[in-house]
Amino acid sequence: MTDRPLDIGAVRAFVQIAELGSFTLAADGLGTTQSAVSLKLKRLERQLGVRLIERTPRHVQLSAHGIAFLEHARGLLQAHDRVLNFRAGQRLRLAIGISDHVAGPELPALIARMNAQDPQLLVEIRIASSADLLQRFDRRELDAALVRTDAGRDDGELVTNEPFHWFASAGWQRHADEPLPLATMAEPCGVRAMAEAALDAAGMPWREVFVGGGVAAVAAAVMAGLGVAALAPRMLPFGAENVGNRLGLPALPRLPVMLHSRAPDGRSRDALKALAAAFRSAALA
């Protein structure tokens, strides 16, 4: 180990790898390449004289030295960021809209990840439909919007493509010769339109039995046994079942999640990169 000061960029790369469990996701979060992140880690390990990350073909995990160093690394980054924020002399505000179909149970972890990236950044989170959030974004009421794709736009960054399936409560049975009872969100909703179009294309009759004002309400209706809903697996309450194959329902496509942003400064852009990387990590879990 040398007496030279540690490279903050290399320490930040190590923390990103440790928290996201992936060189690729760490590179996304830092806005750089996987090879650059790998090089930073190697330099840090060489300077410390220990191996921090154990690399295997399937996953990335911390070594014993890496586990011990992680807490110190986080403390170093927090101290560094506090100095920079003190120098900046003001607390920046970042208004972010997140679609109800995107904001799932991991939302607290996403917010925590952004706060860890910049504790002095004042973040406003607004939950609404993708269409509503894009309108607010275009009116400059939001600095960023994390939403389901809009077919008429090409100005966003692809964050992930998320799968959808048909779900019902455990043991739910469809009554023979009746239209498929469908729980959906209110219009306009891209997931609702996708589900109804898939059933129509398959020539499968359906009827709405519940219209919810949010994904949580739709999931509650499913668990109450009212019917079937098209949902992303990560949005489901415990006990819901994928009934697509059992009921012979049409396969549903993956839907893109897009990030639209006009971050006003480098700190805001870094926070949004951290948000996108953390969401990719959650979607792959």
Side-chain angles (χ1 to χ4, degrees):
M1 178 174 177
T2 70
D3 293 330
R4 291 186 296 108
L6 295 180
D7 177 4
I8 290 295
V11 175
R12 198 177 298 279
F14 162 70
V15 172
Q16 286 275 61
I17 296 168
E19 292 182 346
L20 298 175
S22 164
F23 280 78
T24 301
L25 294 176
D28 288 343
L30 294 169
T32 185
T33 63
Q34 183 175 339
S35 60
V37 168
S38 180
L39 181 60
K40 286 179 182 292
L41 177 66
K42 288 180 180 178
R43 288 175 177 170
L44 181 61
E45 290 178 328
R46 187 162 55 247
Q47 187 174 2
L48 293 174
V50 296
R51 181 177 289 276
L52 300 172
I53 301 288
E54 300 292 350
R55 305 164 182 82
T56 69
R58 289 184 174 273
H59 62 278
V60 170
Q61 68 181 43
L62 297 180
S63 68
H65 292 295
I67 293 172
F69 180 64
L70 181 58
E71 182 178 354
H72 298 294
R74 286 172 171 156
L76 176 61
L77 293 180
Q78 290 170 2
H80 176 266
D81 291 342
R82 282 196 298 269
V83 171
L84 292 182
N85 293 332
F86 174 78
R87 186 178 65 186
Q90 62 177 344
R91 191 173 191 185
L92 296 179
R93 182 186 298 267
L94 184 64
I96 305 172
I98 302 181
S99 165
D100 189 69
H101 264 291
V102 174
E106 61 279 339
L107 182 59
L110 300 183
I111 295 174
R113 184 68 190 86
M114 293 186 68
N115 182 69
Q117 174 72 29
D118 189 342
Q120 293 302 311
L121 191 66
L122 178 57
V123 178
E124 295 181 9
I125 300 291
R126 304 178 190 177
I127 307 297
S129 69
S130 294
D132 180 49
L133 293 176
L134 285 174
Q135 290 176 5
R136 296 188 192 184
F137 177 76
D138 290 339
R139 294 196 299 264
R140 298 187 175 273
E141 297 173 7
L142 297 173
D143 299 306
L146 187 64
V147 298
R148 293 283 168 208
T149 185
D150 187 307
R153 304 182 68 120
D154 59 0
D155 58 333
E157 170 196 350
L158 177 65
V159 175
T160 189
N161 284 299
E162 190 163 46
F164 278 77
H165 303 291
W166 300 102
F167 289 95
S169 60
W172 182 85
Q173 297 292 328
R174 178 184 177 185
H175 295 296
D177 302 325
E178 287 188 4
L180 182 74
L182 197 62
T184 69
M185 283 181 60
E187 293 181 334
C189 172
V191 174
R192 169 195 173 114
M194 175 266 293
E196 294 177 353
L199 293 172
D200 289 342
M204 188 167 292
W206 55 272
R207 63 186 177 90
E208 286 183 343
V209 294
F210 181 87
V211 178
V215 175
V218 174
V222 166
M223 296 311 295
L226 271 65
V228 174
L231 294 167
R234 66 183 179 84
M235 306 293 288
L236 295 171
F238 179 76
E241 289 185 352
N242 184 340
V243 296
N245 290 336
R246 176 163 66 84
L247 299 180
L249 302 179
L252 296 173
R254 289 175 173 264
L255 292 183
V257 175
M258 307 292 292
L259 176 64
H260 301 263
S261 71
R262 57 172 71 88
D265 59 85
R267 288 170 58 193
S268 298
R269 286 192 294 272
D270 289 343
L272 289 174
K273 288 176 183 176
L275 172 67
F279 184 83
R280 290 188 186 100
S281 180
L284 292 173

